[in-house]
Every structure is written in structure tokens, then in C-alpha cells.
Amino acid sequence: MEAVQTSKQAINLENKYGAHNYHPLPVVLAKGEGVYLWDVEGKKYFDFLSAYSAVNQGHCHPRIIQTLKDQAEKLTLTSRAFFNDVLGPYEKYITDYFGFEKVLPMNTGAEGVETAIKICRKWAYEVKGIPEKDAVIVVCENNFHGRTTTIISFSNDLGARKNFGPYTPGFEKIAYDDIDALATILKNKNVAGFLVEPIQGEAGVYTPADDYLSKAAALCRENNVLFIADEIQTGIARTGSLLAVCGNCTCEGHCEQQSTYVRPDILILGKAISGGVYPVSAVLCDNKIMDVIQPGQHGSTFGGNPLGSQVAMTALEVVRDEKLAQNARKLGEIFRERMNAFIKTVDLVKLVRGKGLLNAIVINDTEDSSTAWDICVALKENGLLAKPTHGNIIRFAPPLVMTEEQLHECCDIIEKTIRQFTA
Ligand SMILES: *Cc1c(COP(=O)(O)O)cnc(C)c1O
């Protein structure tokens, strides 16, 4: 096994030996620290993607890495055939942290979503009393919940779906941020759950009306339908509060007293729950829902392993200790203020939107043009890494450990780069 010497070598190897299931920006990263990444040639970049918000705590956070090392030398995996001495403390820690009675530990985000779907369906038949096989889960158009066969069955992204059928039945789509559409579909007594992203990240950082989530949760409650929040991307301080469903609360933890807090019946977390160090996901809910899952009915060899559990505890502690939600909120306001002022001076950017440090700019060009991609390539040349998302939209989501000074430096790079395209 030989280490690559140049970016070109690494790209050639990936192209030749790896499935072409991604279309990466042409940069080969070799090192990360905090808000910075370095490529194979040693060029330094600001990370403005944070591995799709998995690295909220910054790259190679020393506390998280120390935990990983310590636990790796003790015990990594036993499977759930036996108990282990980290899972219990982790389960207590994460349920206290987010204010739920139970957690089901998994590894990837998609597995978390699959788990929530299974719990919801079983609850529908065994608690709500929907006739077996009739349960419907309502989802939103332009959703992104992962890549498994069932999840792509309710996607409307052609690339994600085409030629992967037959699709899993039992899902119905409504428009996002449309409370009337939800009210209408909930007239169907076979609806068991409503699965929703508090902000649609992949779709282009679509932020719904301020009262959408609270109204949706209330409608679900009235109709005995589970409100399932996919906070895999929006959660863990990204949007300026611990969870996006916390609304405008900036406290360091979970607090149901806050009038802005919308409590999901099922909460799905992933990505930053481990600070990008290890794949960890979690599904949280109370006993009256989680108790439908009994031995043999769901699981994963790696889910709840001591290494991931220990890493997740430290990663969540870092979020609290370093006040990352507060920082994301403060920097997010500065970012949007600067972008809004900048947009007034250029025609190429239509708008900036987002919450906390989950933001996007919409490029003023046709959806199928390559302008957003070309801007991202130029941003890379200028030392900042971001990636276009659906349509002509660029998502900006730096690690939450960024300082105000660094953010201003990044805004300078973004403005300078976009101006290159208007000349
Ligand atoms: C990333 C993401 C997922 C899928 O997570 P994976 O770890 O990639 O399987 C699901 N939902 C949302 C909202 C996401 O952003």
C-alpha cells in the first residue's frame, strides 16, 4: 500500500477503482484541524461544508480524538449479544441531553431514518390500531432522508430514484411548508406519522415559516400522528440552537419550558452527534413509542458500540462546553448581514437564506447552468471549500468553532470570488 504523492494520483485512483456515485470537487484533502483543511500539496482551505454538517465541532477536535484513542485501546465492539460498559452511560447521557426517555443507537443517518419508520409503523399497528399494512407515513416534496431503497422510494429526486424500483409503498408526499396540505392529508385515519426536516438542507436550505413546525406538531397531536423530526443535518447546534425544533432558544441544552420548542415524538440524529469522528446515529422517543420494539425486531452489529458511544458523549459535551449553538447563531447573523449587503451590489446572487450557520445563496442563473459549480471551483482556488446543492444553490456551512474574524475573512473570499464572475 503506497501513499499518494499528488492530488492527481489520488483522483485517478478514485476514478479508476471507486464506484462513481459522487461527483466531488477536484480537491484532495489530507489533513484537517478546526475550521481548516489542507490538500495533498499543502494548500490550506476554509471548510464551508463541514462534511454536510457532521463536523460541527471542527476537524479532529482534540477532546474527541483523545476519547477515540482512549476507548480504542480498551474496547471497540462486542455486538449487542452482550452488554458493554459504555452503552448504558451513553444512553443515559443522550436521553438526558435531549429530553427523551429512550434511545435506539444506530450508525448512519439513513439507518436512523429507517429505524424511525419501523418504530412508527409498529406503533401504528400495535398502539394506534391502524389495520396491518395500511399505515401511511407523510413526507414532504424535495425531502432528503438518505439513500436506502425505502428512503429513495419517497424521494422526488430523479437521480436518487430512477431504475431503483420497485419502490416501498406506504408513503405520501405533500408540499413542504404547507400547513393546509398537512391538515388535508391528516383526514386519512391511516396516517401514522409525519416525517419532516425542520429546514430542508439538501433541497437548498429551505427554511419554512416560523410557525410551520409548531403548527405541524399540533396538527399531528390532534390526529394522534407521530411527528418525526429528521435533525440529522439541522441538529446539534448547526442552526443556532441545540435542535432546529428548539426555535429561537439559545440555552445550552434541551428545555421544554421554552415556548419556541416543538417536541418531536421521534427525533432522528446523526452526523455531528460524533463530531465527524465515527458514524453514530440515534433515534430518540419516549417509552410509550419505543416499547413497541422488542428483542429480535431491529438492530445493527455496530449500533451502540463502545467506541461510537464514548465518542458521541464527548462530541455532545464539546457542543455544550464551547457554546457552539450560541456561536452559530451569532455568526449566522453576521454572515447573512454581510451577504445581504453584498447581494445588493451584484446581480449574480439572488438571495441568501438559512438559520445559524446553515445557509445558502441562490445563484441568479438557470437551474441547469454550471454557474454554482464554477463558483465553487473558483472558491476552492481562493481557499474556501463549498459545494453546490440542488439547482443553482451553494450551501455554506462552516464548522461551528469558527471565530468572528475567520468568518469575515471567509466572507471576503466569497465576495471576491463572486465578483470575478461578474467582471
Ligand atoms: C445526511 C442526511 C441523512 C442521511 O445520513 P447518512 O449518514 O448519509 O445516511 C438523512 N437525513 C438528512 C436530513 C441528512 O442531512
Side-chain angles (χ1 to χ4, degrees):
M1 206 173 63
E2 244 177 82
V4 292
Q5 306 293 325
T6 66
S7 291
K8 197 169 179 326
Q9 265 183 327
I11 291 172
N12 288 344
L13 285 171
E14 285 201 27
N15 280 340
K16 183 157 184 212
Y17 296 106
H20 292 185
N21 57 331
Y22 277 89
H23 179 41
L25 218 67
V27 60
V28 181
L29 300 165
K31 194 179 124 173
E33 189 185 315
V35 298
Y36 297 113
L37 288 165
W38 285 264
D39 68 15
V40 172
E41 283 77 18
K43 184 176 159 76
K44 185 177 177 183
Y45 304 90
F46 281 108
D47 183 1
F48 251 61
L49 182 67
S50 306
Y52 300 102
S53 295
V55 190
N56 288 359
Q57 296 89 333
H59 290 278
C60 298
H61 192 290
R63 274 179 70 189
I64 307 175
I65 296 303
Q66 192 58 51
T67 295
L68 178 83
K69 286 181 178 167
D70 291 346
Q71 186 60 43
E73 286 177 352
K74 264 189 259 171
L75 185 67
T76 59
L77 181 66
T78 59
S79 86
R80 298 287 302 278
F82 313 112
F83 291 88
N84 73 68
D85 70 345
V86 185
L87 181 56
Y90 166 62
E91 289 173 334
K92 177 169 191 332
Y93 184 86
I94 192 173
T95 50
D96 283 350
Y97 197 100
F98 291 102
F100 287 88
E101 288 172 355
K102 277 202 168 64
V103 61
L104 199 157
M106 296 295 281
N107 313 286
T108 64
E111 283 177 318
V113 174
E114 288 278 349
T115 301
I117 290 166
K118 285 177 71 177
I119 294 171
C120 179
R121 284 181 167 180
K122 208 151 189 295
W123 173 88
Y125 303 129
E126 295 175 8
V127 180
K128 180 164 176 172
I130 292 174
E132 203 187 333
K133 296 194 183 70
D134 289 347
V136 169
I137 294 177
V138 175
V139 297
C140 292
E141 272 160 29
N142 301 320
N143 68 71
F144 182 84
H145 296 288
R147 301 295 201 173
T148 64
T149 318
T150 286
I151 293 171
I152 58 106
S153 294
F154 54 82
S155 164
N156 52 327
D157 175 341
L158 191 67
R161 279 172 66 85
K162 194 171 174 356
N163 290 339
F164 293 118
Y167 304 113
T168 308
F171 299 93
E172 284 184 31
K173 264 195 243 86
I174 57 170
Y176 187 63
D177 196 18
D178 184 340
I179 203 70
D180 295 333
L182 181 63
T184 304
I185 206 159
L186 291 188
K187 293 197 177 102
N188 175 357
K189 292 300 152 209
N190 288 336
V191 174
F194 175 48
L195 170 63
V196 66
E197 298 157 85
I199 292 173
Q200 286 191 326
E202 294 307 301
V205 190
Y206 281 101
T207 311
D210 279 345
D211 59 358
Y212 175 61
L213 296 173
S214 58
K215 282 186 174 163
L219 273 176
C220 287
R221 204 173 315 120
E222 279 163 34
N223 290 281
N224 196 24
V225 162
L226 301 182
F227 181 79
I228 308 168
D230 178 348
E231 291 247 21
I232 293 167
Q233 186 159 159
T234 53
I236 332 270
R238 171 55 57 187
T239 62
S241 40
L242 181 60
L243 299 171
V245 291
C246 292
N248 293 317
C249 176
T250 43
C251 84
E252 279 146 62
H254 140 88
C255 59
E256 271 181 76
Q257 309 86 290
Q258 272 289 332
S259 60
T260 53
Y261 179 64
V262 177
R263 190 173 194 273
D265 297 300
I266 302 181
L267 173 65
I268 313 166
L269 298 172
K271 295 197 167 112
I273 201 173
S274 63
V277 167
Y278 195 90
V280 177
S281 64
V283 179
L284 292 133
C285 59
D286 287 341
N287 291 332
K288 63 180 196 296
I289 300 168
M290 194 69 93
D291 285 351
V292 300
I293 300 292
Q294 292 300 315
Q297 295 169 355
H298 193 54
S300 150
T301 301
F302 278 83
N305 71 77
L307 192 53
S309 299
Q310 199 69 265
V311 160
M313 272 190 279
T314 304
L316 288 170
E317 245 171 46
V318 165
V319 170
R320 203 174 261 171
D321 291 351
E322 299 187 14
K323 300 195 184 307
L324 296 188
Q326 291 86 330
N327 198 47
R329 169 166 307 223
K330 187 182 81 180
L331 295 196
E333 275 159 18
I334 296 169
F335 180 78
R336 286 184 299 279
E337 213 171 278
R338 275 205 58 172
M339 287 301 122
N340 273 316
F342 172 65
I343 287 166
K344 291 201 184 95
T345 71
V346 287
D347 290 335
L348 191 58
V349 184
K350 255 195 266 189
L351 60 94
V352 59
R353 64 172 169 237
K355 216 168 165 218
L357 282 177
L358 182 59
N359 295 289
I361 58 170
V362 180
I363 304 299
N364 194 8
D365 206 336
T366 54
E367 276 218 4
D368 57 351
S369 85
S370 66
T371 311
W373 174 269
D374 297 339
I375 290 173
C376 287
V377 172
L379 282 169
K380 172 192 89 88
E381 295 305 320
N382 291 331
L384 187 145
L385 297 177
K387 188 95 203 285
T389 181
H390 286 89
N392 242 320
I393 298 170
I394 303 173
R395 174 174 27 201
F396 288 126
L400 310 182
V401 292
M402 185 162 271
T403 65
E404 202 174 319
E405 199 189 347
Q406 288 167 335
L407 182 78
H408 279 295
E409 206 183 314
C410 293
C411 290
D412 292 343
I413 295 174
I414 293 166
E415 294 178 11
K416 180 181 92 177
T417 306
I418 292 172
R419 276 197 211 287
Q420 291 172 357
F421 282 77
T422 59

